[in-house]
């Protein structure tokens, strides 16, 4: 059985006390004071029991907010302000920060300090100052012509200076490239005749080649033994032309460079071209960028990457690959092929010299 305690004392000694008799001996004022002794933070009591009664007077009427505000304002004006027990005195505690006074300099802002460079700069010409400003990369002090002449070209600025009028560079007229004058029909006859002088066939930018002529040209390429470079960029070529070209590449034994850039070739036909190049095993450079189909797709790029990695002869494969993994693998493989070819050439050159 647990013992009950009140203020740390055992309550057994008060067990025989009659509480009702004690309460009957209290006055009304003492009872009110006893009732007012409570814990205001006791959440188990209702709010009405956690506060002292404010007044015992009877209500004079209904609640009127406006009258209450007027009464409070009037009461506040009539009563005097409370007197302060202690008058306000400004006190500063702790250590007061005092800014140290800087020693006065004997040199004023208008005083000029002479250095050993003043005499050199005073004797320099305006052109030499322009060169110096360019070397120090004070580009805001120079115009484009002065900067390029003094810094980029490494020469001396002749004519013009800081006071000169900025002017533009003279426009360099670059003549347009002459139109491609390749005779397609004559080229077909040379290919059929296996002309040894025809090693480079360039059909770039020829837009009026008929399908029949292109197909005849590709058929003539099959048995040719002297053609090294073939280019047909920007001729509005499509898949039907590339399929015929792929058949010709499979049979041709002399081609080394093929360029089909800037045409309308899809990814599937690019795969056919790479398969033909792998079967040919003589082509070292293949260019097929800037096609109408910009995004080839992961499946096509994966197949192209596999075909390029299986080719140990190709040195350049210009194909628009969007996948980072495909680009990295292709670049590393092409670099390995170039390194291997370089080593083979050096070994062959050394062997040739030793035999000589």
């Amino acid at each position: 059985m647990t013992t009950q305690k009140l203020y740390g004392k055992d309550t057994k000694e008060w067990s025989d006390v009659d509480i009702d008799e004690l309460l009957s001996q209290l006055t009304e004022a003492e009872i009110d004071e006893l009732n007012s002794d409570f814990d205001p933070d006791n959440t188990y009591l209702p709010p009405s029991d956690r506060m002292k009664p404010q007044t015992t007077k009877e209500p004079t009427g209904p609640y009127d907010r406006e009258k209450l505000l007027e009464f409070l304002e009037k009461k506040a004006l009539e009563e005097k302000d409370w007197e302060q027990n202690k008058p306000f005195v400004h006190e500063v505690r702790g250590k007061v920060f005092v800014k140290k006074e800087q020693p006065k300099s004997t040199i004023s802002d208008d005083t000029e300090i002479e250095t050993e460079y003043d005499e050199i700069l005073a004797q320099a010409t305006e052109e030499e100052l322009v060169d110096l400003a360019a070397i120090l990369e004070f580009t805001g002090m120079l115009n484009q012509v002065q900067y390029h002449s003094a810094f980029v070209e490494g020469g001396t600025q002749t004519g013009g200076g800081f006071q000169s009028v900025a002017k533009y560079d003279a426009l360099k007229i670059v003549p347009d490239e002459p139109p491609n004058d390749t005779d397609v029909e004559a080229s077909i006859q040379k290919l059929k005749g296996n002309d040894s002088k025809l090693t480079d066939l360039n059909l770039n930018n020829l837009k009026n080649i008929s399908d029949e002529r292109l197909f005849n040209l590709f058929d003539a390429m099959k048995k040719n033994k002297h053609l090294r470079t073939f280019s047909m960029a920007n001729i509005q070529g499509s898949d039907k032309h590339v399929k015929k070209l792929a058949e010709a590449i499979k049979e041709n034994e002399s081609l080394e460079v093929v360029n089909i850039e800037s045409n309308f070739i899809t990814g599937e036909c690019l795969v056919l071209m790479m398969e033909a190049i792998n079967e040919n095993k003589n082509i070292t450079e293949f260019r097929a960028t800037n096609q109408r189909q910009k995004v080839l797709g992961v499946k096509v790029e994966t197949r192209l990457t596999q075909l390029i990695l299986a080719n140990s002869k190709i040195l350049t494969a210009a194909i628009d690959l969007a996948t980072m993994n495909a680009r990295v693998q292709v670049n590393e493989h092409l670099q390995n092929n170039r390194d291997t070819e370089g080593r083979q050439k050096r070994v062959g050159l050394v062997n040739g010299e030793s035999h000589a």
Side-chain angles (χ1 to χ4, degrees):
M1 182 178 178
T2 58
T3 58
Q4 297 181 355
K5 291 186 178 182
L6 180 64
Y7 298 108
K9 295 182 179 180
D10 194 358
T11 58
K12 288 183 178 181
E13 55 182 300
W14 302 314
S15 58
D16 55 346
V17 176
D18 189 357
I19 298 178
D20 294 335
E21 185 180 357
L22 290 177
L23 293 176
S24 61
Q25 298 176 3
L26 297 177
T27 63
E28 185 177 355
E30 290 175 341
I31 293 175
D32 292 339
E33 183 178 358
L34 181 62
N35 290 331
S36 64
D37 187 11
F38 55 85
D39 183 8
D41 296 329
N42 187 359
T43 57
Y44 293 101
L45 293 176
S48 59
D49 295 341
R50 279 183 278 161
M51 55 185 297
K52 297 179 180 179
Q54 300 296 321
T55 179
T56 57
K57 298 180 180 179
E58 295 293 332
T60 57
Y63 170 72
D64 190 342
R65 182 174 181 276
E66 297 295 334
K67 290 184 179 180
L68 176 61
L69 292 177
E70 291 177 1
F71 170 77
L72 294 176
E73 184 177 357
K74 180 180 178 182
K75 190 72 174 176
L77 293 175
E78 292 176 353
E79 292 184 357
K80 295 182 179 181
D81 294 338
W82 297 346
E83 296 182 359
Q84 294 185 355
N85 297 329
K86 179 181 179 182
F88 173 76
V89 178
H90 179 69
E91 297 180 359
V92 179
R93 299 182 180 181
K95 186 177 180 180
V96 180
F97 172 76
V98 179
K99 186 178 180 180
K100 295 182 179 179
E101 295 184 1
Q102 299 292 336
K104 295 183 179 180
S105 176
T106 57
I107 302 175
S108 61
D109 297 336
D110 300 333
T111 305
E112 296 183 358
I113 302 175
E114 295 184 358
T115 63
E116 57 181 339
Y117 301 105
D118 292 339
E119 184 178 355
I120 300 174
L121 294 176
Q123 297 176 359
T125 62
E126 191 172 6
E127 287 76 9
E128 292 174 343
L129 292 177
V130 170
D131 293 340
L132 180 61
I135 294 172
L136 298 177
E137 297 186 0
F138 294 157
T139 55
M141 302 173 63
L142 308 174
N143 58 44
Q144 187 175 2
V145 178
Q146 294 168 347
Y147 179 80
H148 188 273
S149 176
F151 184 68
V152 178
E153 295 181 355
T156 303
Q157 175 68 26
T158 58
F162 293 106
Q163 304 300 327
S164 64
V165 178
K167 61 179 181 178
Y168 62 89
D169 286 334
L171 180 63
K172 297 180 181 179
I173 304 299
V174 179
D176 295 334
E177 294 184 1
N180 192 345
D181 56 355
T182 302
D183 190 342
V184 180
E185 192 62 37
S187 300
I188 294 174
Q189 299 303 323
K190 290 180 180 180
L191 289 173
K192 288 181 178 180
N194 207 9
D195 189 350
S196 60
K197 295 181 180 179
L198 184 58
T199 59
D200 185 356
L201 181 55
N202 186 351
L203 304 181
N204 293 349
N205 303 319
L206 293 178
K207 304 294 180 59
N208 56 352
I209 309 177
S210 63
D211 294 344
E212 183 181 0
R213 282 188 174 181
L214 273 178
F215 294 158
N216 292 336
L217 187 142
F218 296 150
D219 290 337
M221 287 172 53
K222 294 179 180 180
K223 303 299 180 181
N224 189 274
K225 299 182 181 300
H226 299 285
L227 187 63
R228 298 285 184 270
T229 303
F230 176 70
S231 180
M232 49 173 276
N234 192 26
I235 67 166
Q236 296 181 352
S238 59
D239 289 351
K240 60 183 178 180
H241 303 130
V242 173
K243 290 178 181 179
K244 285 287 186 179
L245 177 60
E247 295 176 2
I249 290 175
K250 291 179 182 180
E251 299 185 24
N252 187 279
E253 298 178 358
S254 61
L255 270 178
E256 297 177 358
V257 178
V258 177
N259 183 358
I260 58 173
E261 293 180 332
S262 303
N263 285 298
F264 307 134
I265 304 168
T266 61
E268 289 76 8
C269 285
L270 291 180
V271 173
L272 291 178
M273 284 292 297
M274 278 305 307
E275 291 175 350
I277 290 172
N278 285 10
E279 188 173 340
N280 181 283
K281 297 182 179 179
N282 290 322
I283 296 177
T284 60
E285 182 175 339
F286 174 55
R287 297 186 177 276
T289 59
N290 193 28
Q291 304 298 330
R292 171 172 288 185
Q293 184 179 357
K294 297 296 183 182
V295 180
L296 302 178
V298 177
K299 184 178 180 180
V300 173
E301 291 189 7
T302 302
R303 180 57 180 160
L304 288 173
T305 303
Q306 293 173 351
L307 292 171
I308 294 174
L309 296 180
N311 192 325
S312 60
K313 297 293 184 180
I314 191 166
L315 305 178
T316 301
I319 304 175
D320 294 327
L321 299 176
T323 308
M324 178 64 69
N325 185 35
R327 292 202 301 267
V328 172
Q329 289 184 354
V330 169
N331 290 335
E332 290 180 353
H333 179 72
L334 295 177
Q335 185 61 45
N336 292 335
N337 288 351
R338 297 188 195 103
D339 294 342
T340 302
E341 186 193 28
R343 287 193 296 269
Q344 291 175 352
K345 286 184 178 180
R346 290 194 298 270
V347 171
L349 180 61
V350 171
N351 292 339
E353 290 178 352
S354 62
H355 289 299

